[in-house]
């Protein structure tokens, strides 16, 4: 181990952390306090996934459950919103003076004599390399939306992310999905004056919708303010209409100006492909008690390792994964140094 400093010796870090979300930042703070040299790499900005959240989103949880590094999150309301979180994590990174490289995408990771080599592409396309004894992957899953795989999905009037409703006033807008993201978007669009239709594959809304949101949405559907087409799926997207197929095989044309395909997200770990990590049948990675993968020295913290269970891993428990992983890394490196003496 090195001194309590972010800098590496001879270009070799003790730990490279992939992802500058809350879990990656929690790992960086733990590395700093454990005296490990580290670097955080992210293809976007700090907490990029939260930046991409809907503009007026409110978290399901309370502030203490989002805190990292024992830094208190102070808000003026019960549940933090997107703006609170962006400010909080940015200030924590600044106060801790964390070694973060933004807009540095890890495109490939492979084993090396000292541990691992990470190939990194900068925002301008420039290539670089980072060497590290251990790696923590904390990339989450929000950057990789589930694709519908239908004609027109890549059109300009289709998005897998929702921001805010104002631009869609008086327009026909379709929301595909029935989870939290779809529910929040549908309600916000309706309140912003859009004509909203939800297309839902299942016979009802998902049971996981936030308990204070679900009754609101159900009432809007019941009164006809928001139209919901259940047991159906969109099979084609056109500039001004959709083709919807019902469970009985019949189809209908649905007029629409814009479509939000909010059907979920999954971790994307292509940069780890050549390591051939072991997985469970549900696509979750095989991880040890300290979240070490089947490749010794490679740890996966937060939802990145839980492709089949992304609804069970959040900031609240992912930050704990990070602390446990760093504790195990510190133990491993101390044991190695002791063996060399």
């Amino acid at each position: 181990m090195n001194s309590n400093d972010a800098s590496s010796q001879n270009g070799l870090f003790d730990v490279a952390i992939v992802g500058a979300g809350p879990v990656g930042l929690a790992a960086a703070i733990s590395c700093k306090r454990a005296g490990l040299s580290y670097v955080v790499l992210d293809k976007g900005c700090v907490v990029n996934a939260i930046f991409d959240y809907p503009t007026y989103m409110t978290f399901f949880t309370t502030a203490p459950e989002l805190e990292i590094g024992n830094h208190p999150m102070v808000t003026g309301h019960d549940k933090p919103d997107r703006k609170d979180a962006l400010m909080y994590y940015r200030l924590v990174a600044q106060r801790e003076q964390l070694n973060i490289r933004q807009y540095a995408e890890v495109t490939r990771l492979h084993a090396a004599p000292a541990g691992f080599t990470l190939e990194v592409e900068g925002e301008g396309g420039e290539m670089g390399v980072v060497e590290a004894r251990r790696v923590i992957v904390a990339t989450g899953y929000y950057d990789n939306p589930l694709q519908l795989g239908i004609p027109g999905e890549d059109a300009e009037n289709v998005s897998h992310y929702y921001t805010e409703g104002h631009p869609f006033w008086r327009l026909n807008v379709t929301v595909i999905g029935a989870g939290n993201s779809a529910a929040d978007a549908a309600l916000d669009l309706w309140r912003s004056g859009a004509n909203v239709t939800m297309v839902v594959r299942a016979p009802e809304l998902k049971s996981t919708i936030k308990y204070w949101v679900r009754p609101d949405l159900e009432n809007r559907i019941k009164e006809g303010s928001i139209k919901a087409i259940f047991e159906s799926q969109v099979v084609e997207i056109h500039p001004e209409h959709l083709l919807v197929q019902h469970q009985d095989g019949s189809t209908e044309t649905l007029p629409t100006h814009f479509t939000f395909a909010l059907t979920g997200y999954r971790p994307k770990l292509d940069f780890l492909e050549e390591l051939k990590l072991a997985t469970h049948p549900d696509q979750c990675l095989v991880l040890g008690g300290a979240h070490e993968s089947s490749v010794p020295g490679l740890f996966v913290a937060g939802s990145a390792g839980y492709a089949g269970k992304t609804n069970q891993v959040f900031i609240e428990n992912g930050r704990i994964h990070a602390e446990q992983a760093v504790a195990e890394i510190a133990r491993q490196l101390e044991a190695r140094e002791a063996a060399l003496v």
Side-chain angles (χ1 to χ4, degrees):
M1 293 192 296
N2 297 319
S3 62
N4 191 7
D5 194 310
S7 61
S8 63
Q9 290 182 347
N10 302 319
L12 176 65
F13 291 94
D14 289 325
V15 186
I17 301 165
V18 186
V23 176
L25 298 182
I29 293 171
S30 293
C31 284
K32 181 178 178 181
R33 294 177 183 177
L36 300 171
S37 63
Y38 69 92
V39 62
V40 183
L41 304 163
D42 198 292
K43 68 179 182 180
C45 59
V46 170
V47 292
N48 194 77
I50 295 176
F51 175 74
D52 285 335
Y53 283 175
T55 305
Y56 305 110
M57 192 214 75
T58 298
F59 282 85
F60 182 86
T61 190
T62 57
E65 294 173 298
L66 300 178
E67 294 172 355
I68 58 175
N70 295 320
H71 292 274
M73 176 187 279
V74 180
T75 67
H77 28 269
D78 292 339
K79 292 180 171 62
D81 58 26
R82 170 182 173 274
K83 184 177 180 181
D84 293 327
L86 290 176
M87 181 179 296
Y88 170 76
Y89 291 116
R90 188 172 66 244
L91 289 175
V92 169
Q94 182 173 311
R95 288 168 182 165
E96 291 280 353
Q97 296 185 334
L98 299 179
N99 184 29
I100 302 170
R101 298 183 189 175
Q102 300 180 97
Y103 309 104
E105 181 177 5
V106 177
T107 58
R108 181 170 174 251
L109 189 152
H110 53 88
F116 299 92
T117 296
L118 299 85
E119 297 181 10
V120 182
E121 181 176 354
E123 189 176 19
E126 65 277 9
M127 300 301 298
V129 170
V130 170
E131 302 282 348
R133 296 182 174 89
R134 299 290 187 272
V135 171
I136 298 175
V137 175
T139 51
Y141 64 90
Y142 196 60
D143 285 339
N144 186 40
L146 288 173
Q147 299 293 313
L148 298 172
I150 60 175
E153 185 174 10
D154 58 352
E156 292 184 359
N157 66 331
V158 181
S159 177
H160 291 279
Y161 296 94
Y162 179 72
T163 52
E164 58 180 299
H166 176 77
F168 306 99
W169 177 64
R170 290 188 174 179
L171 297 183
N172 297 321
V173 182
T174 300
V175 176
I176 304 174
N180 275 303
S181 296
D184 287 340
L187 286 168
D188 190 54
L189 284 162
W190 169 69
R191 291 193 171 96
S192 299
N195 303 314
V196 185
T197 300
M198 298 182 71
V199 178
V200 182
R201 184 187 294 266
E204 60 182 11
L205 300 171
K206 285 189 176 181
S207 60
T208 53
I209 292 177
K210 290 172 281 195
Y211 67 84
W212 67 89
V213 172
R214 186 184 177 97
D216 188 6
L217 180 57
E218 288 176 333
N219 288 333
R220 302 294 78 73
I221 292 172
K222 184 177 180 180
E223 70 186 17
S225 298
I226 294 175
K227 181 181 179 180
I229 305 174
F230 292 100
E231 297 184 284
S232 304
Q233 57 183 318
V234 175
V235 293
E236 292 180 16
I237 301 176
H238 297 273
E240 294 188 357
H241 72 273
L242 304 173
L243 184 63
V244 178
Q245 184 176 59
H246 305 300
Q247 193 176 56
D248 62 6
S250 63
T251 61
E252 73 170 289
T253 298
L254 179 65
T256 191
H257 297 105
F258 202 93
T259 299
F260 288 100
L262 306 178
T263 53
Y265 309 87
R266 285 291 183 274
K268 186 176 183 180
L269 303 175
D270 294 356
F271 65 98
L272 300 175
E273 187 174 9
E274 69 179 68
L275 295 179
K276 302 187 184 304
L277 300 179
T279 61
H280 294 289
D282 61 1
Q283 298 184 319
C284 293
L285 296 180
V286 174
L287 300 174
H291 310 283
E292 188 169 16
S293 73
S294 58
V295 174
L298 178 68
F299 295 74
V300 183
S303 57
Y306 294 86
K309 298 178 180 178
T310 53
N311 63 339
Q312 298 179 26
V313 183
F314 310 97
I315 296 172
E316 297 92 312
N317 47 9
R319 60 183 182 164
I320 307 302
H321 296 181
E323 294 170 0
Q324 293 170 339
V326 173
E328 173 60 16
I329 289 171
R331 187 198 66 78
Q332 290 180 6
L333 296 183
E334 287 175 357
R336 190 179 73 166
E337 285 189 5
L340 296 175
V341 175

